[in-house]
Amino acid sequence: MEMITNVTEYEAIAKAKLPKMVYDYYASGAEDQWTLKENRNAFARILFRPRILVDVSSIDLTATILGFKVSMPIMIAPTAMQKMAHPEGEFATARAASAADTIMTLSSWATSSVEEVASTGPGIRFFQLYVFKDRNVVAQLVRRAERAGFKAIALTVDTPILGRREADIKNRFTLPAHLVLKNFEGLDLGKLDKTSDSGLASYVAGQIDRSLNWKDIKWLQTITSLPILVKGVLTAEDTRIALKAGASGIIVSNHGARQLDYVPATITALEEVVIAAEGRIPVFLDGGVRRGTDVFKALALGAAGVFIGRPVLFSLAADGEAGVRKVLQMLRDEFELTMALTGCRSLKEIRRDHVITEWDRPRITPKL
C-alpha cells in the first residue's frame, strides 16, 4: 500500500480483492458505458493557462460549504452498501472524512444507519435521500438524519427508475446475505433479493416513487429545516427551476454514469449550470474526479467543490479507513500542487481564465 502514488491505483487492488459481483456493481456504468469513460476523458481535454512568478509560499485550501468551514473543497459522495467493500464500511469512511476535516455524504442505501454513522464521532455529514413511495418512510428517515446531526439533504433526482447496468443483470446482483440496508431495518420495504436480473433494479421498481417532481422539494421543506441540495442536474433549464423551487444548492451529477448513458460528462455540463445559477446558490460536481488537477478544473469552471465516489469505495476495499484517508490526502496534495503551479494562493484566486476548454473560442494572438 505504501507504493501507491495516485488514486486510480486502488481500483486494481479492489478488483483483485472483491467478489466479482461486488466489484462490478461499484465499477460499472449504464448500457454502453460511454458516459462512464467520458466522465474521465472530458477532464483530459481541459488544459491549464498557468500564471507564473506569483508568491505561492503560503496556500490556503479551506472552503466554506453551506456555511461550514472545511479543510478543502474535496468531499465524499454518497455510495451505497459500503460494507460490501470492507467490514467497517461507512464507519471507516466517516472516520476518514472527519480526520481530513471534510464532508461525508451518507447514502440512503447504506449498510450502516444514520445513527451508527453519527456515533463514530464529530464530523460534518450530509444525507443522500431517495424518495420512496411511502412518504412516511421518507419523513421518518429525514427526521432521523436531522436528529443524528446531519447538516443537509442531497436529494437524488435522476433515478425514477434504475439505469440499465448490464453487469448487475449478468451477475444477478443482490446484497450479500449478512448485510442489510440499515436505514430501513425493521420497516416493511421488501428485500433486496436475487431475481432473474438485477436485484437492485427490481427493488427500485417496487419502492422508489416515480412520480417525484419539483413540488416535492416544497413538500420536503415542510418536513425539514435542513438545506436541500438537488443532486442530478445537468441543464440550465433545470437549474432555473431548482432556484425557483428553493434549492439550497445543486450537485451536477450523472449518477456516476449509472443512469442514462450518452449524457455529457459532468465537467462538460458544469459551466452551463453555473451560468444559470447566477451565483445565487452553490454548484457542486461529482463524477470522474481522480486527480487534484480535476478538482482545480471544476473550481475554475465555477464549482464550489467536488464529491468523490468510486475512489472512496476502491480505497476502502483495498485498505479500509487508511485507504480512504490516503485518497483524501493524495487529492489534497495534488490540488495544492496544482494551485501552486497555476499561481493561486486561495480558492478565490482560481478563475475561469486559468483553464481553456474545447468550447472556448480560439484565442487570437495579436501580431507583433
Side-chain angles (χ1 to χ4, degrees):
M1 294 297 168
E2 60 277 2
M3 298 306 292
I4 285 179
T5 53
N6 67 66
V7 163
T8 310
E9 289 174 350
Y10 277 112
E11 182 166 358
I13 299 167
K15 188 174 185 179
K17 281 183 90 161
L18 292 171
K20 184 178 189 303
M21 180 191 77
V22 173
Y23 171 77
D24 285 354
Y25 171 72
Y26 289 151
S28 63
E31 295 186 353
D32 298 329
Q33 304 191 111
W34 181 86
T35 298
L36 183 69
K37 295 185 271 284
E38 179 65 3
N39 269 354
R40 285 296 307 129
N41 293 342
F43 274 110
R45 297 193 298 269
I46 297 170
L47 305 179
F48 292 122
R49 300 182 67 249
R51 302 302 305 275
I52 54 169
L53 292 176
V54 177
D55 175 357
V56 288
S57 51
S58 174
I59 294 177
D60 178 14
L61 273 64
T62 57
T64 303
I65 308 292
L66 299 182
F68 299 100
K69 196 169 182 192
V70 291
S71 68
M72 58 182 174
I74 305 164
M75 299 163 284
I76 293 180
T79 51
M81 311 175 207
Q82 291 181 16
K83 282 187 181 176
M84 294 196 305
H86 187 276
E88 295 199 331
E90 294 85 0
F91 291 81
T93 303
R95 290 193 296 262
S98 184
D101 191 18
T102 192
I103 293 165
M104 173 195 180
T105 316
L106 183 71
S107 168
S108 278
W109 294 337
T111 37
S112 313
S113 68
V114 287
E115 293 85 3
E116 287 173 333
V117 169
S119 77
T120 62
I124 303 159
R125 302 185 184 104
F126 295 170
F127 181 69
Q128 176 273 331
L129 181 68
Y130 283 115
V131 175
F132 281 61
K133 289 173 184 171
D134 184 341
R135 293 302 174 92
N136 290 330
V137 167
V138 179
Q140 207 181 325
L141 200 50
V142 168
R143 290 193 186 109
R144 281 171 58 199
E146 201 164 352
R147 270 202 307 275
F150 284 68
K151 301 301 184 193
I153 301 293
L155 175 68
T156 295
V157 294
D158 58 10
T159 312
I161 184 168
L162 207 70
R164 185 175 172 81
R165 305 165 191 178
E166 293 177 3
D168 292 348
I169 297 168
K170 281 191 173 71
N171 294 330
R172 309 277 193 267
F173 173 80
T174 189
L175 188 63
H178 66 289
L179 297 175
V180 293
L181 301 181
K182 270 291 196 179
N183 287 315
F184 306 108
E185 199 174 25
L187 298 172
D188 184 23
L189 281 176
K191 283 227 168 11
L192 224 171
D193 291 325
K194 269 214 182 299
T195 64
S196 59
D197 54 13
S198 159
L200 185 63
S202 303
Y203 180 80
V204 168
Q207 300 297 338
I208 298 297
D209 189 351
R210 282 201 209 186
S211 75
L212 187 71
N213 64 75
W214 290 107
K215 292 189 196 116
D216 292 308
I217 293 180
K218 293 281 183 219
W219 170 74
L220 260 182
Q221 287 164 339
T222 67
I223 62 168
T224 183
S225 57
L226 293 178
I228 295 164
L229 302 174
V230 181
K231 178 180 180 292
V233 175
L234 292 169
T235 65
E237 295 89 330
D238 282 338
T239 304
R240 288 189 280 269
I241 301 171
L243 281 168
K244 285 199 188 85
S248 297
I250 281 170
I251 304 174
V252 175
S253 174
N254 53 33
H255 209 115
R258 294 159 72 78
Q259 282 300 101
L260 179 62
D261 202 11
Y262 297 99
V263 293
T266 48
I267 194 67
T268 306
L270 174 63
E271 195 165 31
E272 174 182 329
V273 172
V274 166
I275 290 165
E278 297 176 338
R280 289 161 60 190
I281 55 173
V283 175
F284 306 97
L285 170 139
D286 70 27
V289 175
R290 300 292 182 274
R291 285 279 188 189
T293 49
D294 300 334
V295 180
F296 187 99
K297 289 169 184 179
L299 267 63
L301 291 172
V306 303
F307 291 88
I308 56 166
R310 287 185 181 91
V312 170
L313 292 169
F314 295 145
S315 59
L316 180 66
D319 199 22
E321 181 185 338
V324 182
R325 281 183 184 231
K326 186 162 179 177
V327 155
L328 290 168
Q329 188 63 48
M330 284 191 294
L331 286 173
R332 181 192 173 88
D333 291 346
E334 289 177 9
F335 178 52
E336 186 170 8
L337 177 69
T338 308
M339 286 179 68
L341 296 179
T342 50
C344 298
R345 293 164 293 200
S346 66
L347 303 191
K348 68 177 186 295
E349 290 189 357
I350 301 173
R351 293 188 313 274
R352 177 60 175 84
D353 59 13
H354 280 111
V355 294
I356 184 160
T357 69
E358 55 199 337
W359 57 90
D360 288 333
R361 288 186 184 150
R363 292 174 185 276
I364 297 163
T365 310
K367 285 188 178 135
L368 295 174

